[in-house]
Amino acid sequence: MPPKDASSPAGQPLRMADVARLAGVHQTTVSLALRNHPSIPEETRRRIREVADKAGYRPDPLLDAFNFHRLAVHPVSHPPTIAYVVDARHTAPHLRQTHHPLVFQGAREEAASHRINLELFVVGPSGLSPSRLNKILVSRGITALILTSFNDRPCELELDWDRFCAVKVEARHVKPDLDIISADQWLAARVAHERLRQLGYRRLGLVLSRHDELRVGESYLTAFLVAQSQVPDADHLPPFEFQGDELSTRQKELVAWVRQNQVEAVLSNWNQLGERLAEGGLPAAEMPAIASFDAPLEDPRAAGVIQNHALAGCRAVEQVRSLLQGHQRGIPATQSITFVPGYWRDAESAPDRALRQDLARIPQVP
Amino acid sequence: MPRLTCVPQSLVKIPNLPTIKDVARQAGVHYSTVSLALRGNPSIPEATRLRIEEAARQVGYEPKPAMAALSRFRTKARGPAAPAPRIAFLVNRSPELRYDAMVHLHQFYEGANAQATAIGYEMERLFVAEDHHDSTSLHRYLQAQGIGGLIIGSFIPGFSGLTLDWTRYAVVKIDSLHLQPDCESVMADQLQITRLGFQRLSALGYQRIGLAVGRADEDANLHRHTAGLLIEQAHLPPERRIPPLLFPHGCDDPTASGLVCRWARRHKLDAVLCNWGNIIGLLAEGGLSCPRDLACACLCLLDTSGHVAGVVPELRLIGAKAVALLATRMRTGVPGVPRFPSLTYVQGHWKDGASAPQRR
């Protein structure tokens, strides 16, 4: 219970109107000020917050919970909008990338369950300029924003950030340092390493995309190094590193790396490694086991970690709403990162090693 | 056309949650009886109340704060306001177990409490320890008080644990990864903190930087200190990759001092990163003076007024994040632990200090 103040009628909690009277402003000004809205001068916001604190005004979480259920039952004619901003050099191929539509779909479903629109905006050479985006968001009164990026190199998105409650999905290399929601790549790499060891593989090789590592803060390599530090030195293999989409032109080098290091199992967040190795001339009999840190759900033969990309999208919407609730606009002084875990799925591309060797001994029927 | 897609809004179907009318049907009583029984009104006989509670469990009915808000909304003119929803902040220390000396627990609590107040929740700190609550008494207390949200506040391994019916509560942990339930957790980003410490010492001119951490801490946090060290060392020539020192479980100060000094001398360290606050004392006991013999940076620097350099974890922010997350779960009115609980890591900040001066 808030402390009682002489200005509130007996037995009644303090209302926004009471704060308005004490501060000598209109109720709507109080509402905006307590929501930290940039349309109210900073000094006025601070004064109204002080008046509210002193009088013992508190927002009401019960009404908030009530609104949650009310909105679930009664649709709103003009639902609020969260902007889902994609920063990309080339739009089309990136939006078709395996995991991105899943993140977007998860975010959209979570938003829809609260009767919130999620609207896609693309910034970059083929889309909006940052200043144009800023203008659109401001004129449409959109204050909530989820940012994700497919840029290859570090960059900065310049918006008037003090206006927005915003989080990022992955995109660690893109400024500003907003709070981040990400699939747990670190966990995926550790789980995959551990499971392959259990399945009997000892010489585990990492195939590493330098661009992806930038995007995810070197999570795959870090986790792999930790996992590797807990196994004998003889089993430590150098990773195969590549830039961009080089994998489709460096198949022979990939095969040479497998042979030279006697790799028993390959781990990567890139799929189609089996095809690349075959293109490089590796016969099926020599094919290592293949495990993905981000196995496609729709391919039942691919062993690896199934990432909960949709859940990451859902969590991103939740966090933006939580920022809205606390009126926390702008770039946080301290960044935090939320990781959404995936789970391992056994499949034919990484069978039990003993079983695989037994199978190889069975004579092939011509 | 800059805006490429306009997304059709496919609204997700919200399942109809069971109401007291469903409970009434199940128990074969009028719904007003259910209402009275579930609120423990003495006009309902004990046997009937138990039967109705069982029926409520069967149909999966849970009282919802939203509905409490609705009834309050309707009766506002007539009576006093309903109390704010409540969160319990649990710690497994107690005043008898040096709780007052646990600076980090206080900071977690302060941050959590400030956030709770800011969004209108009430928070209560409860001790789970000898002479205070055990799981049984805690459960009774939480139920009697109608407390639906729990923060497990950095439970320390080796002290009291906790077994509750987790399906009845919204739960968020601070640290405590060793402990059930497997729920959402918020903690310091020890990987980033170790990397930051390493990078700053490198920038100050140190060449042979070692990491010393407790094995218990590493086991409890998925080896994230070690991970930070390994990724930093990956960029160094092999001869400068110094193996980390892990203090064994339950290691006392004299043992730790001997270990850390032998390790520092053997590898000719010029700087040590450590998550223990007394690292400078441990080195001094073994005859190594900081910063004369080697520099020191603390990876969990709580006292920022002194001369110690290191990384300051944002413990109050961790507490605040835990409450914000818990409020998100409580607001839906659906208790229990998510199937895929996420982990939230909060970064730390570097602080310069005389224990790690710029190297000539």
Side-chain angles (χ1 to χ4, degrees):
Chain A
M1 289 272 294
K4 288 290 167 290
D5 181 276
S7 61
S8 78
Q12 294 268 332
L14 207 69
R15 293 173 309 168
M16 221 175 248
D18 302 320
V19 178
R21 196 155 30 77
L22 290 171
V25 295
H26 193 260
Q27 187 177 334
T28 52
T29 313
V30 176
S31 168
L32 289 168
L34 293 184
R35 282 184 286 139
N36 212 10
H37 198 279
S39 70
I40 309 292
E42 177 62 40
E43 172 56 28
T44 316
R45 273 186 264 164
R46 200 182 50 74
R47 185 171 64 81
I48 293 177
R49 265 201 301 274
E50 273 172 17
V51 170
D53 284 347
K54 216 169 136 204
Y57 173 79
R58 278 227 221 153
D60 191 335
L62 288 173
L63 281 179
D64 183 50
F66 170 55
N67 278 332
F68 176 87
H69 282 266
R70 187 174 59 86
L71 289 171
V73 180
H74 302 293
V76 179
S77 52
H78 297 290
T81 296
I82 295 177
Y84 191 95
V85 177
V86 178
D87 176 21
R89 245 170 2 135
H90 314 289
T91 321
H94 291 296
L95 289 178
R96 276 201 300 274
Q97 258 192 3
T98 47
H99 79 283
H100 188 254
L102 297 172
V103 178
F104 183 69
Q105 186 191 341
R108 199 176 57 179
E109 285 179 9
E110 173 66 14
S113 73
H114 302 292
R115 300 294 192 267
I116 296 171
N117 278 324
L118 192 74
E119 195 171 316
L120 184 66
F121 296 90
V122 178
V123 287
S126 58
L128 298 162
S129 70
S131 61
R132 177 79 185 124
L133 173 67
N134 200 76
K135 218 168 182 174
I136 295 173
L137 296 179
V138 170
S139 64
R140 289 187 48 194
I142 296 174
T143 53
L145 194 154
I146 295 171
L147 171 65
T148 188
S149 169
F150 295 102
N151 261 316
D152 289 346
R153 48 187 68 82
C155 59
E156 173 156 14
L157 183 65
E158 286 179 19
L159 296 183
D160 195 355
W161 289 105
D162 286 346
R163 289 180 168 273
F164 304 111
C165 300
V167 298
K168 292 196 288 192
V169 174
E170 294 179 355
R172 297 218 207 170
H173 60 303
V174 178
K175 296 271 173 192
D177 290 331
L178 303 166
D179 286 352
I180 290 177
I181 293 87
S182 169
D184 198 339
Q185 298 98 1
W186 147 272
L187 180 76
R190 294 201 63 184
V191 164
H193 194 281
E194 190 181 328
R195 183 63 187 146
L196 288 172
R197 299 275 309 177
Q198 282 171 358
L199 288 169
Y201 299 97
R202 290 294 169 267
R203 300 185 66 78
L204 310 182
L206 176 67
V207 175
L208 196 65
S209 154
R210 272 284 148 213
H211 285 151
D212 288 348
E213 284 295 279
L214 192 65
R215 199 163 48 80
V216 301
E218 297 186 279
S219 285
Y220 292 123
L221 179 59
T222 313
F224 192 79
L225 289 173
V226 174
Q228 198 170 256
S229 74
Q230 288 157 0
V231 303
D233 283 358
D235 295 343
H236 294 197
L237 310 182
F240 181 90
E241 300 187 16
F242 66 96
Q243 309 273 345
D245 54 4
E246 284 176 352
L247 217 48
S248 50
T249 56
R250 291 177 57 194
Q251 296 96 326
K252 288 211 155 44
E253 284 172 67
L254 188 62
V255 169
W257 171 78
V258 166
R259 285 190 166 139
Q260 194 185 343
N261 294 292
Q262 297 165 304
V263 178
E264 294 168 0
V266 177
L267 298 85
S268 181
N269 68 314
W270 277 55
N271 295 313
Q272 289 108 34
L273 280 178
E275 287 91 322
R276 297 291 163 268
L277 287 167
E279 288 161 14
L282 195 69
E286 285 180 52
M287 193 62 76
I290 295 172
S292 174
F293 300 142
D294 194 355
L297 197 56
E298 66 279 7
D299 178 359
R301 292 164 310 153
V305 173
I306 307 290
Q307 300 274 14
N308 277 306
H309 292 300
L311 189 59
C314 161
R315 294 282 180 255
V317 168
E318 273 181 5
Q319 288 210 10
V320 166
R321 295 190 68 229
S322 180
L323 292 178
L324 278 169
Q325 188 195 13
H327 315 302
Q328 290 161 282
R329 295 167 195 260
I331 301 161
T334 301
Q335 190 182 27
S336 74
I337 307 186
T338 297
F339 289 111
V340 177
Y343 57 93
W344 174 267
R345 178 182 70 181
D346 274 325
E348 124 192 11
S349 75
D352 188 291
R353 186 147 183 258
L355 193 68
R356 180 181 161 124
Q357 284 164 344
D358 287 348
L359 285 174
R361 274 186 225 110
I362 299 171
Q364 297 275 316
V365 181
Chain B
M1 183 61 195
R3 214 175 76 212
L4 291 181
T5 327
C6 190
V7 181
Q9 289 299 302
S10 60
L11 294 181
V12 172
K13 176 95 182 86
I14 313 273
N16 286 324
L17 294 170
T19 68
I20 57 169
K21 291 196 176 166
D22 300 309
V23 180
R25 210 170 299 123
Q26 177 80 12
V29 295
H30 193 258
Y31 68 81
S32 58
T33 314
V34 175
S35 170
L36 290 169
L38 293 184
R39 281 182 290 143
N41 190 300
S43 71
I44 308 296
E46 173 77 10
T48 315
R49 184 173 60 78
L50 291 174
R51 188 161 62 80
I52 291 174
E53 282 176 358
E54 180 52 34
R57 263 191 294 282
Q58 281 168 12
V59 303
Y61 171 79
E62 292 277 346
K64 295 179 223 14
M67 296 305 119
L70 175 59
S71 31
R72 172 182 160 197
F73 187 71
R74 285 157 55 191
T75 60
K76 197 158 70 170
R78 282 180 274 143
R86 291 168 69 185
I87 296 171
F89 187 98
L90 309 175
V91 286
N92 72 342
R93 288 285 186 142
S94 63
E96 297 78 15
L97 291 169
R98 298 180 53 240
Y99 173 76
D100 296 322
M102 301 280 143
V103 180
H104 68 292
L105 292 182
H106 290 274
Q107 294 193 6
F108 285 137
Y109 177 72
E110 283 167 26
N113 196 37
Q115 177 74 16
T117 307
I119 58 175
Y121 288 68
E122 263 178 29
M123 177 169 277
E124 183 174 348
R125 179 171 42 202
L126 298 173
F127 299 115
V128 180
E130 199 66 39
D131 296 331
H132 294 268
H133 280 296
D134 61 14
S135 296
T136 315
S137 74
L138 182 67
H139 175 73
R140 268 203 304 272
Y141 181 80
L142 297 172
Q143 290 298 311
Q145 298 285 317
I147 297 177
L150 305 180
I151 304 266
I152 296 180
S154 192
F155 270 36
I156 297 159
F159 289 80
S160 298
L162 196 55
T163 322
L164 293 176
D165 176 3
W166 302 112
T167 61
R168 299 175 80 114
Y169 303 97
V171 195
V172 172
K173 293 194 286 199
I174 296 173
D175 300 333
S176 321
L177 288 184
H178 63 289
L179 209 72
Q180 286 299 313
D182 194 6
C183 65
E184 289 165 297
S185 308
V186 186
M187 68 215 89
D189 190 344
Q190 280 135 346
L191 197 159
Q192 177 265 344
I193 283 171
T194 306
R195 293 192 75 168
L196 180 61
F198 196 98
Q199 288 164 5
R200 295 308 285 260
L201 287 179
S202 299
L204 288 167
Y206 295 94
Q207 298 278 321
R208 302 193 58 79
I209 304 165
L211 171 75
V213 288
R215 185 176 286 281
D217 303 324
E218 283 300 88
D219 289 347
N221 77 26
L222 310 170
H223 299 262
R224 286 179 66 89
H225 287 116
T226 314
L229 177 72
L230 290 174
I231 191 73
E232 287 302 322
Q233 288 183 340
H235 307 297
L236 293 179
E239 65 277 11
R240 281 180 55 200
R241 295 178 194 165
I242 290 143
L245 172 68
L246 296 180
F247 296 117
H249 286 274
C251 174
D252 62 12
D253 283 359
T255 315
S257 170
L259 282 171
V260 75
C261 289
R262 276 197 300 280
W263 168 73
R265 289 191 172 107
R266 184 174 347 118
H267 295 287
K268 301 187 174 58
L269 300 188
D270 57 13
V272 173
L273 286 167
C274 182
N275 69 331
W276 286 11
N278 58 345
I279 178 65
I280 293 177
L282 293 178
L283 289 165
E285 254 171 71
L288 289 173
S289 163
C290 166
R292 193 195 67 205
D293 299 324
L294 77 183
C296 253
C298 180
L299 292 179
C300 187
L301 190 60
L302 300 181
D303 176 13
T304 54
S305 62
H307 67 289
V308 183
V311 185
V312 185
E314 297 287 334
L315 304 186
R316 289 183 185 83
L317 183 63
I318 292 170
K321 292 257 173 210
V323 167
L325 190 54
L326 188 65
T328 299
R329 295 287 159 268
M330 290 173 79
R331 175 190 331 196
T332 64
V334 184
V337 170
R339 178 148 172 250
F340 294 106
S342 58
L343 301 177
T344 297
Y345 293 102
V346 177
Q347 303 202 333
H349 296 293
W350 175 260
K351 182 195 161 282
D352 275 319
S355 73
Q358 176 77 46
R359 216 163 171 225
R360 306 262 157 102

